[in-house]
Amino acid sequence: MAKVKVKTHSGAKKRFTVTGSGKVKFQHTNKRHRLTAKPHKQKRIARNAGVAGATNAPTVKKLIPYA
């Protein structure tokens, strides 16, 4: 019997990547426009990539099964 393919979630594949160690990596928000009105600390934190927590990572991995 053939194995059933699982569709990848289109929104999730654009936003998340899985690292070699299995962590889910994402880019923070609020770095696109109106940057003069935002505090420097907020922009500095958003500059770096974030890692999904232990509660959300399994859900995201289900959405991107072949990543």
Side-chain angles (χ1 to χ4, degrees), residues 1 3-5 8-9 16 23-24 27 30 34 37 41 48 50 52-53 55-56 58 62-63 65 67:
M1 189 160 181
K3 200 173 182 185
V4 178
K5 286 186 180 179
T8 302
H9 191 277
F16 301 103
K23 295 178 183 176
V24 178
Q27 192 61 43
N30 298 324
R34 289 188 55 196
K41 183 177 181 180
N48 304 316
T55 53
N56 294 323
K62 283 182 186 175
L63 296 174

Side-chain angles (χ1 to χ4, degrees), residues 1-2 4 6 10-11 21 23 26-27 33 37 39 46-49 53 56 62 64 66:
M1 189 160 181
V4 178
V6 181
S10 296
S21 61
K23 295 178 183 176
F26 65 91
Q27 192 61 43
H33 57 88
R47 194 180 301 152
N48 304 316
N56 294 323
K62 283 182 186 175
I64 44 175
Y66 304 107

